Amino acid sequence: MLYKRLERNLIHLAIVDSTNDYAANLIKTSEVPSGTTIVTSNQQKGRGQRSAMWTTQANKNLTFSLIFFSNEKIQKAFYLNIAASLAVFKTLSDLKIESKIKWPNDILVQGKKICGILIDNSFSGDKIQSSIIGIGLNVNQKDFGDLKEATSILNEIGQEVEVMDIYEQLFGYLDFYLNLLMESNYKILLQRYYEQLLGLNQEGEFESKGIKFRGIITGVSEIGLLKIQTSEGTKEFDLKEIRMSYPSNFF
Ligand code: BTN
């Protein structure tokens, strides 16, 4: 089947609980094209990874979910995270902001988080039926309260930018990288991801199940587990199993 590029179909909501949840309901009740995006300037109950909340000031940041139908094999699901991370990385790089990808898909600038990504997939047999790529990118927010380790485009370049201009740029890169994925360019995607992966081949400190250890990130497995070389050999971890603290020379 010939792959069709993303369609521009933007649904702007003044206020919503979570754009990911809204998108999930939308695809249950209606047929929308791949690329359909739910964007809001006021998300009330944003969801993050590890069941965390994603809080964002109203009218300041880019908060959206893009619906993507790929029919990819389940085993390739992590490549969606790779494509989305690279799209954000490129968008920031165009603004002369140097960012790094913290596995699996946090985008950091000098150790501070500027963007979080949450992908909700639904499966049918051994295929991914639908993906909801949720992205929260801090754009014009200045203060993050107690969140010391957060930053925004404004804080990095010293000037405000149009939130929807950033969306346009990011949409273009999502289209590009998701197209690479649909053309089965897994090797290229993984290589680009490794080029930006924080801590790759460097020694860091980790914690798993309450036990601290030192190790070296050697890459990610085909299904997206983090591979760490430890004194007991190379181990693989999923997001719930591992915490990491990076030394400052990583950034
Ligand atoms: C994380 O870093 O924990 C992921 C955060 C993802 C937040 C985005 S904002 C748009 C979309 N809607 C949600 O409810 N979450 C994602």
Side-chain angles (χ1 to χ4, degrees):
M1 194 175 64
L2 192 66
Y3 170 65
K4 229 166 122 258
R5 300 289 285 253
L6 298 185
E7 246 179 68
R8 280 174 185 278
N9 182 26
L10 199 57
I11 302 172
H12 204 297
L13 304 172
I15 186 166
V16 70
D17 279 352
S18 153
T19 53
N20 268 36
D21 293 345
Y22 187 96
N25 280 326
L26 186 70
I27 53 179
K28 267 189 225 148
T29 52
S30 51
E31 257 187 44
V32 289
S34 203
T36 296
T37 298
I38 316 300
V39 64
T40 187
S41 15
N42 192 352
Q43 180 169 256
Q44 299 278 297
K45 286 187 190 154
R47 291 194 288 110
Q49 297 176 80
R50 308 180 201 246
S51 314
M53 292 271 290
W54 179 260
T55 40
T56 173
Q57 266 172 22
N59 305 311
K60 297 277 184 200
N61 300 316
L62 179 58
T63 308
F64 73 95
S65 301
L66 183 135
I67 295 165
F68 183 58
F69 300 109
S70 65
N71 213 29
E72 260 293 343
K73 288 221 171 67
I74 287 179
Q75 291 90 323
K76 298 290 183 202
F78 190 68
Y79 284 88
L80 291 163
N81 303 65
I82 292 182
S85 308
L86 288 172
V88 175
F89 167 82
K90 276 295 275 177
T91 304
L92 293 173
S93 155
D94 286 352
L95 292 161
K96 309 268 179 299
I97 298 174
E98 276 181 42
S99 65
K100 279 277 167 197
I101 302 169
K102 181 182 174 191
W103 176 87
N105 50 20
D106 283 349
I107 313 297
L108 308 189
V109 181
Q110 298 289 322
K112 293 185 175 178
K113 187 154 162 174
I114 194 164
C115 178
I117 301 171
L118 179 70
I119 302 182
D120 293 322
N121 292 311
S122 79
F123 306 105
S124 168
D126 65 345
K127 296 280 175 65
I128 306 170
Q129 199 171 38
S130 65
S131 306
I132 296 168
I133 303 175
I135 300 186
L137 174 60
N138 299 330
V139 179
N140 292 321
Q141 184 166 339
K142 223 177 164 57
D143 301 309
F144 292 89
D146 294 342
L147 270 181
K148 295 268 177 301
E149 303 301 308
T151 190
S152 63
I153 292 176
L154 169 63
N155 287 357
E156 294 305 319
I157 65 170
Q159 68 181 72
E160 294 210 351
V161 286
E162 270 298 323
V163 172
M164 288 315 285
D165 287 353
I166 303 294
Y167 169 75
E168 284 303 321
Q169 193 77 353
L170 182 44
F171 179 87
Y173 284 127
L174 281 167
D175 187 37
F176 174 79
Y177 286 110
L178 290 171
N179 184 53
L180 274 188
L181 169 55
M182 296 315 292
E183 288 178 342
S184 307
N185 286 306
Y186 307 115
K187 243 183 155 166
I188 294 177
L189 283 166
L190 191 60
Q191 193 183 326
R192 298 266 165 90
Y193 181 77
Y194 280 168
E195 281 164 13
Q196 308 310 334
L197 187 63
L198 190 65
L200 184 68
N201 298 327
Q202 282 173 284
E203 193 170 331
E205 194 168 285
F206 303 88
E207 190 185 321
S208 181
K209 296 178 185 139
I211 298 165
K212 285 197 173 144
F213 60 94
R214 298 192 69 77
I216 298 170
I217 296 176
T218 54
V220 291
S221 73
E222 195 54 23
I223 57 163
L225 301 177
L226 187 67
K227 291 198 279 192
I228 303 175
Q229 187 189 316
T230 72
S231 55
E232 292 162 12
T234 297
K235 296 184 178 175
E236 295 183 357
F237 299 90
D238 76 19
L239 187 60
K240 284 181 235 92
E241 289 171 331
I242 188 90
R243 298 213 168 253
M244 41 200 140
S245 51
Y246 295 110
S248 54
N249 65 329
F250 273 30
F251 306 115

